[in-house]
Amino acid sequence: MTKCKLEYIWLDGYQPTQSLRSKTKIVENFSGKVEDAEQWSFDGSSTEQAPGGSSDCLLKPVFVCPDPARLGTGFLVMCEVLDHEGNPHRTNGRATIDDNDDDFWFGFEQEYTIWNPDTNKPVGFPVEGFPGPQGPYYCSVGHGKAVGREIVEEHLELCLAAGLNVEGINAEVMMGQWEFQIFAKGAALAGDQIWVARYLLERTAEKYDMSINWHCKPVQGDWNGSGMHANFSNTLLRTCGSKDVYDAVCQAFEPRIKSHIDVYGADNDQRLTGLHETQSIDKFSYGVSDRGASIRIPIVTVQKGWKGYLEDRRPASNADPYMVASAIITTVKSAKLPVGA
């Protein structure tokens, strides 16, 4: 009999930003298939998800991958939270996704800041004052510019070994700020992989006595905030070959500014100021290659004859990818398309 360590991962009920929780279940001869992972439970009164008098919440496994950071045989089990009656919990963003046929594809660009708890500043920042201004840190190499690379590289290897579809990493504009990108066919799967990657990053930082700051504006002043740009497409966008269709889809977002911002991450007003490659939080715009717009139409989409994808640049680094995807899908499906599209 092979003892297998299954790390059940879920999102708690803390607001305005949910946190990751996990606990380990030891089973024998686990197949590695999500359908063979048993439902489990936890104390919801300790995670802001249930009262003490009726505290059981249920964990429904939805995604399983190898856990490469543990000795022996281990698996990471991403779960949805259900109430004690088996219904999606109010904190369960994954259950709101309307993408049963996985027609929507998502690529999330997850930015984050490696944080030094001793200085309460990004890694690499001096104890007093600030480093030199932004400019040399983006996609940088070398001492004093690319800071925290050992954590970033170890995290990348863990993600790849777990089978997550990471498509790239890079140093970002602020010192100590980095990014990884994950793509998946299917909105729920994209969210699953982002959350598991976030979990692995948190666990990697633990080893180095560092933490991960997901806040969208971790350092006030003339420093870039952190986002989670959402690149998305469906069959319509991938095949239409029509600028008019793209205009119609983009225009569907304008009357829904509030409904999107409501799920695009806490304190996003500190980041979406109209500066640092953002549009103001209360405005909407779109344009080809425009990184100051709410939605950017990538030049490659135009070059391929208006067949491709769009990028919503507003989601913050601390947003729930499930909720972001759910909002985007709802809006795209509401678009008033030109006749014949």
Side-chain angles (χ1 to χ4, degrees):
M1 294 291 185
T2 300
K3 295 288 186 180
C4 301
K5 296 168 245 183
L6 276 59
E7 193 70 14
Y8 279 61
I9 305 167
W10 73 96
L11 302 178
D12 66 20
Y14 276 63
Q15 295 297 324
T17 303
Q18 292 175 276
S19 304
L20 285 162
R21 304 292 181 121
S22 73
K23 62 176 182 173
T24 307
K25 185 181 185 70
I26 307 299
V27 302
E28 293 182 343
N29 297 333
F30 180 63
S31 68
K33 298 178 180 179
V34 68
E35 58 266 26
D36 293 330
E38 295 180 353
Q39 186 171 278
W40 206 10
S41 62
F42 68 95
D43 171 17
S45 69
S46 296
T47 62
E48 301 288 331
Q49 288 166 301
S54 181
S55 62
D56 283 345
C57 289
L58 306 178
L59 294 173
K60 173 187 174 183
V62 294
F63 175 79
V64 172
C65 66
D67 184 351
R70 269 182 159 164
L71 296 175
T73 303
F75 297 89
L76 302 172
V77 183
M78 190 67 206
C79 299
E80 286 188 31
V81 176
L82 310 179
D83 63 23
H84 67 280
E85 295 180 343
N87 301 310
H89 194 273
R90 58 176 173 76
T91 60
N92 183 344
R94 190 182 193 273
T96 70
I97 294 174
D98 180 17
D99 185 30
N100 294 330
D101 55 1
D102 291 342
D103 183 48
F104 279 84
W105 301 354
F106 278 86
F108 288 109
E109 304 175 35
Q110 176 68 69
E111 295 177 340
Y112 61 93
T113 304
I114 302 173
W115 202 257
N116 185 339
D118 293 331
T119 63
N120 197 32
K121 291 183 175 183
V123 64
F125 273 50
V127 175
E128 301 292 337
F130 297 92
Q134 295 183 155
Y137 312 119
Y138 174 70
C139 294
S140 61
V141 62
H143 178 72
K145 291 182 287 187
V147 185
R149 190 184 293 277
E150 66 279 9
I151 293 174
V152 174
E153 292 289 341
E154 184 171 331
H155 174 247
L156 173 62
E157 293 304 320
L158 289 174
C159 287
L160 294 176
L164 303 183
N165 192 37
V166 178
E167 293 205 320
I169 61 170
N170 59 269
E172 267 301 333
V173 178
M174 184 177 70
M175 177 184 280
Q177 183 186 52
W178 293 79
E179 173 183 303
F180 62 86
Q181 305 100 32
I182 282 183
F183 169 80
K185 295 180 179 180
L189 179 59
D192 296 339
Q193 294 204 23
I194 283 287
W195 276 116
V196 171
R198 285 180 177 181
Y199 172 83
L200 286 172
L201 183 57
E202 293 266 15
R203 212 164 77 178
T204 302
E206 286 178 13
K207 291 177 54 180
Y208 294 87
D209 294 324
M210 294 289 167
S211 61
I212 301 301
N213 191 327
W214 302 104
H215 194 272
C216 62
K217 188 68 174 179
V219 181
Q220 297 298 315
D222 193 19
W223 301 94
N224 270 37
S226 296
M228 186 182 64
H229 302 158
N231 300 280
F232 63 93
S233 70
N234 62 352
T235 297
L236 175 70
L237 293 172
R238 291 190 292 269
T239 63
C240 68
S242 167
K243 179 180 183 300
D244 290 343
V245 168
Y246 270 80
D247 284 337
V249 170
C250 289
Q251 289 163 9
F253 283 78
E254 185 162 12
R256 295 171 175 248
I257 293 175
K258 185 180 185 302
S259 63
H260 283 266
I261 294 302
D262 283 349
V263 297
Y264 277 12
D267 300 322
N268 215 4
D269 58 311
Q270 298 177 24
R271 168 178 164 264
L272 297 181
T273 61
L275 302 174
H276 303 110
E277 299 180 304
T278 68
Q279 176 57 280
S280 296
I281 195 167
D282 59 346
K283 296 180 180 178
F284 178 82
S285 62
Y286 67 94
V288 176
S289 294
D290 188 353
R291 282 180 163 76
S294 309
I295 290 184
R296 179 179 70 95
I297 303 173
I299 189 62
V300 66
T301 293
V302 179
Q303 291 174 339
K304 291 183 177 180
W306 294 94
K307 297 178 181 180
Y309 67 98
L310 292 168
E311 177 194 40
D312 192 332
R313 297 181 56 79
R314 296 171 296 172
S317 51
N318 55 3
D320 178 357
Y322 295 139
M323 296 299 292
V324 171
S326 180
I328 288 173
I329 290 169
T330 298
T331 296
V332 171
K333 289 185 174 182
S334 77
K336 297 179 181 178
L337 302 178
V339 176

